[in-house]
mmCIF file of all heavy atoms in Angstrom:
data_model
loop_
_atom_site.group_PDB
_atom_site.id
_atom_site.type_symbol
_atom_site.label_atom_id
_atom_site.label_comp_id
_atom_site.label_asym_id
_atom_site.label_seq_id
_atom_site.Cartn_x
_atom_site.Cartn_y
_atom_site.Cartn_z
ATOM 1 N N PRO A 6 -6.911 14.023 -10.695
ATOM 2 C CA PRO A 6 -8.192 14.355 -11.317
ATOM 3 C C PRO A 6 -9.327 14.665 -10.339
ATOM 4 O O PRO A 6 -10.190 15.497 -10.636
ATOM 5 C CB PRO A 6 -8.509 13.123 -12.164
ATOM 6 C CG PRO A 6 -7.170 12.559 -12.498
ATOM 7 C CD PRO A 6 -6.333 12.794 -11.281
ATOM 8 N N ASN A 7 -9.341 14.013 -9.173
ATOM 9 C CA ASN A 7 -10.415 14.311 -8.220
ATOM 10 C C ASN A 7 -10.049 15.455 -7.277
ATOM 11 O O ASN A 7 -10.836 15.816 -6.397
ATOM 12 C CB ASN A 7 -10.789 13.055 -7.412
ATOM 13 C CG ASN A 7 -9.661 12.579 -6.524
ATOM 14 O OD1 ASN A 7 -8.644 13.246 -6.372
ATOM 15 N ND2 ASN A 7 -9.834 11.410 -5.926
ATOM 16 N N GLY A 8 -8.849 16.033 -7.457
ATOM 17 C CA GLY A 8 -8.465 17.215 -6.690
ATOM 18 C C GLY A 8 -8.020 16.951 -5.266
ATOM 19 O O GLY A 8 -7.793 17.887 -4.502
ATOM 20 N N ARG A 9 -7.841 15.687 -4.888
ATOM 21 C CA ARG A 9 -7.459 15.377 -3.502
ATOM 22 C C ARG A 9 -5.986 15.627 -3.227
ATOM 23 O O ARG A 9 -5.592 15.900 -2.088
ATOM 24 C CB ARG A 9 -7.764 13.914 -3.181
ATOM 25 C CG ARG A 9 -9.201 13.636 -2.818
ATOM 26 C CD ARG A 9 -9.407 12.168 -2.513
ATOM 27 N NE ARG A 9 -8.651 11.719 -1.335
ATOM 28 C CZ ARG A 9 -8.563 10.436 -0.956
ATOM 29 N NH1 ARG A 9 -9.162 9.502 -1.676
ATOM 30 N NH2 ARG A 9 -7.884 10.102 0.109
ATOM 31 N N TYR A 10 -5.153 15.481 -4.275
ATOM 32 C CA TYR A 10 -3.713 15.596 -4.091
ATOM 33 C C TYR A 10 -3.108 16.519 -5.143
ATOM 34 O O TYR A 10 -3.656 16.691 -6.238
ATOM 35 C CB TYR A 10 -3.037 14.226 -4.214
ATOM 36 C CG TYR A 10 -3.366 13.259 -3.118
ATOM 37 C CD1 TYR A 10 -4.366 12.300 -3.289
ATOM 38 C CD2 TYR A 10 -2.685 13.285 -1.903
ATOM 39 C CE1 TYR A 10 -4.670 11.395 -2.289
ATOM 40 C CE2 TYR A 10 -2.983 12.386 -0.891
ATOM 41 C CZ TYR A 10 -3.981 11.439 -1.092
ATOM 42 O OH TYR A 10 -4.279 10.544 -0.092
ATOM 43 N N LEU A 11 -1.950 17.073 -4.801
ATOM 44 C CA LEU A 11 -1.114 17.799 -5.754
ATOM 45 C C LEU A 11 0.269 17.160 -5.727
ATOM 46 O O LEU A 11 0.812 16.883 -4.652
ATOM 47 C CB LEU A 11 -1.024 19.282 -5.391
ATOM 48 C CG LEU A 11 -0.213 20.178 -6.342
ATOM 49 C CD1 LEU A 11 -0.803 21.593 -6.385
ATOM 50 C CD2 LEU A 11 1.259 20.251 -5.976
ATOM 51 N N LEU A 12 0.815 16.888 -6.919
ATOM 52 C CA LEU A 12 2.139 16.291 -7.057
ATOM 53 C C LEU A 12 3.075 17.322 -7.665
ATOM 54 O O LEU A 12 2.778 17.877 -8.737
ATOM 55 C CB LEU A 12 2.080 15.056 -7.962
ATOM 56 C CG LEU A 12 1.131 13.948 -7.498
ATOM 57 C CD1 LEU A 12 0.938 12.918 -8.600
ATOM 58 C CD2 LEU A 12 1.677 13.281 -6.246
ATOM 59 N N ALA A 13 4.194 17.600 -6.990
ATOM 60 C CA ALA A 13 5.161 18.595 -7.458
ATOM 61 C C ALA A 13 6.430 17.908 -7.922
ATOM 62 O O ALA A 13 7.003 17.089 -7.200
ATOM 63 C CB ALA A 13 5.482 19.583 -6.346
ATOM 64 N N ALA A 14 6.875 18.243 -9.160
ATOM 65 C CA ALA A 14 8.097 17.680 -9.735
ATOM 66 C C ALA A 14 9.236 18.672 -9.519
ATOM 67 O O ALA A 14 9.259 19.743 -10.137
ATOM 68 C CB ALA A 14 7.901 17.406 -11.225
ATOM 69 N N ASN A 15 10.165 18.313 -8.643
ATOM 70 C CA ASN A 15 11.287 19.180 -8.285
ATOM 71 C C ASN A 15 12.544 18.730 -9.018
ATOM 72 O O ASN A 15 13.153 17.726 -8.660
ATOM 73 C CB ASN A 15 11.530 19.122 -6.769
ATOM 74 C CG ASN A 15 10.369 19.674 -5.978
ATOM 75 O OD1 ASN A 15 9.783 20.693 -6.340
ATOM 76 N ND2 ASN A 15 10.021 19.017 -4.879
ATOM 77 N N ARG A 16 12.938 19.508 -10.024
ATOM 78 C CA ARG A 16 14.059 19.113 -10.879
ATOM 79 C C ARG A 16 15.374 18.983 -10.109
ATOM 80 O O ARG A 16 16.096 18.007 -10.240
ATOM 81 C CB ARG A 16 14.231 20.151 -11.998
ATOM 82 C CG ARG A 16 15.291 19.775 -13.026
ATOM 83 C CD ARG A 16 15.653 20.941 -13.908
ATOM 84 N NE ARG A 16 16.435 21.941 -13.170
ATOM 85 C CZ ARG A 16 16.807 23.114 -13.670
ATOM 86 N NH1 ARG A 16 16.458 23.456 -14.905
ATOM 87 N NH2 ARG A 16 17.518 23.965 -12.945
ATOM 88 N N ASP A 17 15.707 19.997 -9.297
ATOM 89 C CA ASP A 17 17.060 20.059 -8.735
ATOM 90 C C ASP A 17 17.248 19.193 -7.493
ATOM 91 O O ASP A 17 18.382 18.928 -7.095
ATOM 92 C CB ASP A 17 17.445 21.509 -8.433
ATOM 93 C CG ASP A 17 17.629 22.322 -9.707
ATOM 94 O OD1 ASP A 17 17.516 21.743 -10.804
ATOM 95 O OD2 ASP A 17 17.877 23.541 -9.611
ATOM 96 N N SER A 18 16.149 18.776 -6.867
ATOM 97 C CA SER A 18 16.272 17.862 -5.724
ATOM 98 C C SER A 18 15.885 16.433 -6.094
ATOM 99 O O SER A 18 15.821 15.562 -5.225
ATOM 100 C CB SER A 18 15.408 18.353 -4.549
ATOM 101 O OG SER A 18 14.081 18.578 -4.965
ATOM 102 N N ASP A 19 15.619 16.204 -7.387
ATOM 103 C CA ASP A 19 15.379 14.842 -7.897
ATOM 104 C C ASP A 19 14.250 14.144 -7.144
ATOM 105 O O ASP A 19 14.374 12.975 -6.768
ATOM 106 C CB ASP A 19 16.665 14.002 -7.809
ATOM 107 C CG ASP A 19 17.810 14.565 -8.639
ATOM 108 O OD1 ASP A 19 17.529 15.102 -9.720
ATOM 109 O OD2 ASP A 19 18.968 14.476 -8.193
ATOM 110 N N ASN A 20 13.126 14.837 -6.954
ATOM 111 C CA ASN A 20 12.014 14.175 -6.257
ATOM 112 C C ASN A 20 10.658 14.688 -6.725
ATOM 113 O O ASN A 20 10.530 15.791 -7.261
ATOM 114 C CB ASN A 20 12.148 14.301 -4.731
ATOM 115 C CG ASN A 20 12.073 15.732 -4.206
ATOM 116 O OD1 ASN A 20 12.172 16.699 -4.959
ATOM 117 N ND2 ASN A 20 11.903 15.875 -2.909
ATOM 118 N N ILE A 21 9.668 13.819 -6.552
ATOM 119 C CA ILE A 21 8.259 14.200 -6.732
ATOM 120 C C ILE A 21 7.612 14.114 -5.360
ATOM 121 O O ILE A 21 7.692 13.077 -4.686
ATOM 122 C CB ILE A 21 7.542 13.277 -7.732
ATOM 123 C CG1 ILE A 21 8.152 13.447 -9.125
ATOM 124 C CG2 ILE A 21 6.044 13.581 -7.777
ATOM 125 C CD1 ILE A 21 7.621 12.469 -10.143
ATOM 126 N N VAL A 22 6.997 15.211 -4.958
ATOM 127 C CA VAL A 22 6.484 15.348 -3.593
ATOM 128 C C VAL A 22 4.956 15.398 -3.635
ATOM 129 O O VAL A 22 4.368 16.060 -4.502
ATOM 130 C CB VAL A 22 7.056 16.617 -2.930
ATOM 131 C CG1 VAL A 22 6.491 16.800 -1.530
ATOM 132 C CG2 VAL A 22 8.581 16.544 -2.881
ATOM 133 N N THR A 23 4.327 14.685 -2.704
ATOM 134 C CA THR A 23 2.861 14.599 -2.653
ATOM 135 C C THR A 23 2.307 15.511 -1.562
ATOM 136 O O THR A 23 2.736 15.442 -0.407
ATOM 137 C CB THR A 23 2.431 13.145 -2.369
ATOM 138 O OG1 THR A 23 3.011 12.291 -3.353
ATOM 139 C CG2 THR A 23 0.916 13.001 -2.422
ATOM 140 N N PHE A 24 1.343 16.345 -1.954
ATOM 141 C CA PHE A 24 0.623 17.211 -1.021
ATOM 142 C C PHE A 24 -0.849 16.839 -1.019
ATOM 143 O O PHE A 24 -1.407 16.493 -2.066
ATOM 144 C CB PHE A 24 0.752 18.692 -1.440
ATOM 145 C CG PHE A 24 2.158 19.209 -1.385
ATOM 146 C CD1 PHE A 24 3.006 19.051 -2.473
ATOM 147 C CD2 PHE A 24 2.643 19.847 -0.252
ATOM 148 C CE1 PHE A 24 4.319 19.523 -2.427
ATOM 149 C CE2 PHE A 24 3.945 20.319 -0.196
ATOM 150 C CZ PHE A 24 4.783 20.153 -1.282
ATOM 151 N N GLU A 25 -1.468 16.930 0.137
ATOM 152 C CA GLU A 25 -2.916 16.768 0.227
ATOM 153 C C GLU A 25 -3.566 18.126 0.052
ATOM 154 O O GLU A 25 -3.018 19.142 0.493
ATOM 155 C CB GLU A 25 -3.286 16.181 1.589
ATOM 156 C CG GLU A 25 -4.583 15.418 1.570
ATOM 157 C CD GLU A 25 -4.752 14.551 2.813
ATOM 158 O OE1 GLU A 25 -3.764 14.297 3.525
ATOM 159 O OE2 GLU A 25 -5.906 14.150 3.043
ATOM 160 N N VAL A 26 -4.720 18.165 -0.622
ATOM 161 C CA VAL A 26 -5.453 19.408 -0.829
ATOM 162 C C VAL A 26 -6.638 19.433 0.130
ATOM 163 O O VAL A 26 -7.476 18.525 0.110
ATOM 164 C CB VAL A 26 -5.966 19.524 -2.283
ATOM 165 C CG1 VAL A 26 -6.684 20.851 -2.488
ATOM 166 C CG2 VAL A 26 -4.814 19.379 -3.281
ATOM 167 N N ASP A 27 -6.696 20.461 0.968
ATOM 168 C CA ASP A 27 -7.854 20.640 1.848
ATOM 169 C C ASP A 27 -9.038 21.075 0.988
ATOM 170 O O ASP A 27 -9.030 22.155 0.402
ATOM 171 C CB ASP A 27 -7.543 21.690 2.917
ATOM 172 C CG ASP A 27 -8.674 21.841 3.931
ATOM 173 O OD1 ASP A 27 -9.858 21.895 3.520
ATOM 174 O OD2 ASP A 27 -8.372 21.942 5.132
ATOM 175 N N GLN A 28 -10.061 20.226 0.905
ATOM 176 C CA GLN A 28 -11.189 20.490 -0.002
ATOM 177 C C GLN A 28 -12.017 21.697 0.424
ATOM 178 O O GLN A 28 -12.730 22.279 -0.393
ATOM 179 C CB GLN A 28 -12.090 19.248 -0.095
ATOM 180 C CG GLN A 28 -11.377 18.009 -0.627
ATOM 181 C CD GLN A 28 -10.791 18.191 -2.023
ATOM 182 O OE1 GLN A 28 -11.515 18.466 -2.966
ATOM 183 N NE2 GLN A 28 -9.484 18.047 -2.156
ATOM 184 N N ASN A 29 -11.928 22.081 1.685
ATOM 185 C CA ASN A 29 -12.699 23.229 2.163
ATOM 186 C C ASN A 29 -11.985 24.555 1.955
ATOM 187 O O ASN A 29 -12.632 25.572 1.711
ATOM 188 C CB ASN A 29 -13.028 23.059 3.655
ATOM 189 C CG ASN A 29 -13.930 21.867 3.891
ATOM 190 O OD1 ASN A 29 -14.895 21.657 3.162
ATOM 191 N ND2 ASN A 29 -13.597 21.057 4.884
ATOM 192 N N SER A 30 -10.644 24.539 2.054
ATOM 193 C CA SER A 30 -9.906 25.803 1.985
ATOM 194 C C SER A 30 -9.031 25.944 0.748
ATOM 195 O O SER A 30 -8.558 27.040 0.444
ATOM 196 C CB SER A 30 -9.013 25.945 3.217
ATOM 197 O OG SER A 30 -7.948 25.001 3.167
ATOM 198 N N GLY A 31 -8.775 24.824 0.037
ATOM 199 C CA GLY A 31 -7.867 24.853 -1.095
ATOM 200 C C GLY A 31 -6.403 24.785 -0.706
ATOM 201 O O GLY A 31 -5.528 24.654 -1.573
ATOM 202 N N LYS A 32 -6.112 24.865 0.591
ATOM 203 C CA LYS A 32 -4.718 24.888 1.039
ATOM 204 C C LYS A 32 -4.077 23.499 0.939
ATOM 205 O O LYS A 32 -4.764 22.477 0.906
ATOM 206 C CB LYS A 32 -4.635 25.418 2.473
ATOM 207 C CG LYS A 32 -4.960 26.898 2.576
ATOM 208 C CD LYS A 32 -4.779 27.390 4.000
ATOM 209 C CE LYS A 32 -5.073 28.890 4.096
ATOM 210 N NZ LYS A 32 -4.914 29.356 5.491
ATOM 211 N N LEU A 33 -2.742 23.519 0.909
ATOM 212 C CA LEU A 33 -1.959 22.298 0.737
ATOM 213 C C LEU A 33 -1.308 21.883 2.042
ATOM 214 O O LEU A 33 -0.932 22.725 2.863
ATOM 215 C CB LEU A 33 -0.866 22.520 -0.312
ATOM 216 C CG LEU A 33 -1.347 22.964 -1.698
ATOM 217 C CD1 LEU A 33 -0.164 23.300 -2.588
ATOM 218 C CD2 LEU A 33 -2.218 21.890 -2.346
ATOM 219 N N LEU A 34 -1.156 20.565 2.200
ATOM 220 C CA LEU A 34 -0.487 19.993 3.365
ATOM 221 C C LEU A 34 0.465 18.905 2.873
ATOM 222 O O LEU A 34 0.051 17.994 2.150
ATOM 223 C CB LEU A 34 -1.521 19.384 4.315
ATOM 224 C CG LEU A 34 -0.968 18.694 5.570
ATOM 225 C CD1 LEU A 34 -0.384 19.721 6.537
ATOM 226 C CD2 LEU A 34 -2.058 17.884 6.253
ATOM 227 N N PHE A 35 1.757 19.018 3.238
ATOM 228 C CA PHE A 35 2.740 18.001 2.851
ATOM 229 C C PHE A 35 2.382 16.674 3.513
ATOM 230 O O PHE A 35 2.171 16.601 4.718
ATOM 231 C CB PHE A 35 4.138 18.470 3.264
ATOM 232 C CG PHE A 35 5.235 17.473 3.031
ATOM 233 C CD1 PHE A 35 5.306 16.749 1.837
ATOM 234 C CD2 PHE A 35 6.205 17.246 3.998
ATOM 235 C CE1 PHE A 35 6.324 15.822 1.622
ATOM 236 C CE2 PHE A 35 7.234 16.325 3.789
ATOM 237 C CZ PHE A 35 7.285 15.613 2.603
ATOM 238 N N THR A 36 2.316 15.616 2.708
ATOM 239 C CA THR A 36 1.914 14.298 3.238
ATOM 240 C C THR A 36 3.073 13.554 3.901
ATOM 241 O O THR A 36 2.855 12.526 4.533
ATOM 242 C CB THR A 36 1.394 13.403 2.100
ATOM 243 O OG1 THR A 36 2.465 13.224 1.154
ATOM 244 C CG2 THR A 36 0.172 13.999 1.417
ATOM 245 N N GLY A 37 4.292 14.051 3.703
ATOM 246 C CA GLY A 37 5.459 13.298 4.155
ATOM 247 C C GLY A 37 5.942 12.295 3.124
ATOM 248 O O GLY A 37 6.940 11.615 3.327
ATOM 249 N N LYS A 38 5.217 12.187 1.985
ATOM 250 C CA LYS A 38 5.543 11.198 0.961
ATOM 251 C C LYS A 38 6.255 11.864 -0.228
ATOM 252 O O LYS A 38 5.810 12.916 -0.715
ATOM 253 C CB LYS A 38 4.268 10.523 0.439
ATOM 254 C CG LYS A 38 3.371 9.930 1.521
ATOM 255 C CD LYS A 38 3.866 8.562 1.935
ATOM 256 C CE LYS A 38 3.098 8.004 3.119
ATOM 257 N NZ LYS A 38 1.683 7.885 2.914
ATOM 258 N N SER A 39 7.322 11.221 -0.685
ATOM 259 C CA SER A 39 7.957 11.647 -1.930
ATOM 260 C C SER A 39 8.684 10.462 -2.536
ATOM 261 O O SER A 39 8.968 9.472 -1.843
ATOM 262 C CB SER A 39 8.917 12.818 -1.702
ATOM 263 O OG SER A 39 10.066 12.402 -1.018
ATOM 264 N N VAL A 40 8.957 10.546 -3.837
ATOM 265 C CA VAL A 40 9.767 9.522 -4.496
ATOM 266 C C VAL A 40 10.961 10.198 -5.157
ATOM 267 O O VAL A 40 10.877 11.365 -5.556
ATOM 268 C CB VAL A 40 8.976 8.718 -5.561
ATOM 269 C CG1 VAL A 40 7.916 7.852 -4.913
ATOM 270 C CG2 VAL A 40 8.373 9.624 -6.619
ATOM 271 N N THR A 41 12.052 9.461 -5.260
ATOM 272 C CA THR A 41 13.287 9.988 -5.837
ATOM 273 C C THR A 41 13.448 9.487 -7.267
ATOM 274 O O THR A 41 13.312 8.289 -7.529
ATOM 275 C CB THR A 41 14.495 9.532 -4.994
ATOM 276 O OG1 THR A 41 14.326 10.010 -3.660
ATOM 277 C CG2 THR A 41 15.792 10.071 -5.553
ATOM 278 N N LEU A 42 13.713 10.409 -8.198
ATOM 279 C CA LEU A 42 14.083 10.060 -9.568
ATOM 280 C C LEU A 42 14.842 11.239 -10.143
ATOM 281 O O LEU A 42 14.712 12.362 -9.650
ATOM 282 C CB LEU A 42 12.865 9.709 -10.427
ATOM 283 C CG LEU A 42 11.910 10.806 -10.828
ATOM 284 C CD1 LEU A 42 11.045 10.340 -11.987
ATOM 285 C CD2 LEU A 42 11.023 11.225 -9.682
ATOM 286 N N ALA A 43 15.621 11.003 -11.206
ATOM 287 C CA ALA A 43 16.526 12.026 -11.726
ATOM 288 C C ALA A 43 15.778 13.094 -12.511
ATOM 289 O O ALA A 43 15.061 12.787 -13.462
ATOM 290 C CB ALA A 43 17.587 11.372 -12.609
ATOM 291 N N LYS A 44 15.917 14.337 -12.071
ATOM 292 C CA LYS A 44 15.477 15.544 -12.795
ATOM 293 C C LYS A 44 14.047 15.479 -13.349
ATOM 294 O O LYS A 44 13.828 15.687 -14.553
ATOM 295 C CB LYS A 44 16.454 15.855 -13.940
ATOM 296 C CG LYS A 44 17.858 16.196 -13.477
ATOM 297 C CD LYS A 44 18.717 16.622 -14.651
ATOM 298 C CE LYS A 44 20.093 17.067 -14.241
ATOM 299 N NZ LYS A 44 20.892 16.020 -13.579
ATOM 300 N N PRO A 45 13.044 15.202 -12.508
ATOM 301 C CA PRO A 45 11.666 15.195 -13.007
ATOM 302 C C PRO A 45 11.187 16.618 -13.309
ATOM 303 O O PRO A 45 11.420 17.531 -12.511
ATOM 304 C CB PRO A 45 10.879 14.602 -11.843
ATOM 305 C CG PRO A 45 11.652 15.020 -10.622
ATOM 306 C CD PRO A 45 13.097 14.998 -11.042
ATOM 307 N N VAL A 46 10.548 16.803 -14.455
ATOM 308 C CA VAL A 46 10.115 18.158 -14.832
ATOM 309 C C VAL A 46 8.704 18.214 -15.412
ATOM 310 O O VAL A 46 8.235 19.269 -15.832
ATOM 311 C CB VAL A 46 11.101 18.816 -15.831
ATOM 312 C CG1 VAL A 46 12.404 19.169 -15.123
ATOM 313 C CG2 VAL A 46 11.385 17.932 -17.030
ATOM 314 N N CYS A 47 8.001 17.086 -15.450
ATOM 315 C CA CYS A 47 6.606 17.098 -15.898
ATOM 316 C C CYS A 47 5.904 15.920 -15.241
ATOM 317 O O CYS A 47 6.442 14.810 -15.211
ATOM 318 C CB CYS A 47 6.526 16.977 -17.409
ATOM 319 S SG CYS A 47 4.843 17.051 -18.062
ATOM 320 N N VAL A 48 4.714 16.165 -14.688
ATOM 321 C CA VAL A 48 3.975 15.103 -14.007
ATOM 322 C C VAL A 48 2.508 15.182 -14.422
ATOM 323 O O VAL A 48 1.883 16.237 -14.314
ATOM 324 C CB VAL A 48 4.164 15.195 -12.476
ATOM 325 C CG1 VAL A 48 3.787 16.552 -11.918
ATOM 326 C CG2 VAL A 48 3.419 14.099 -11.752
#
């Protein structure tokens, strides 16, 4: 909600991956953080 992070639900690799959002440029940076769960498709 505050726009600091983007969470991507990857169905075929069974993970949700966290990206940081650069507030000045809008660009994304992989945080190195992810969690494993079966076939996530909505976050």
Side-chain angles (χ1 to χ4, degrees):
N7 65 8
R9 279 180 64 187
Y10 293 97
L11 182 148
L12 302 168
N15 296 319
R16 185 193 72 185
D17 291 357
S18 53
D19 299 324
N20 64 346
I21 295 173
V22 178
T23 305
F24 296 87
E25 206 165 343
V26 182
D27 184 316
Q28 300 301 300
N29 296 316
S30 69
K32 290 183 179 179
L33 302 174
L34 178 70
F35 175 44
T36 61
K38 307 278 173 58
S39 71
V40 292
T41 301
L42 71 163
K44 296 186 176 62
V46 289
C47 182
V48 55

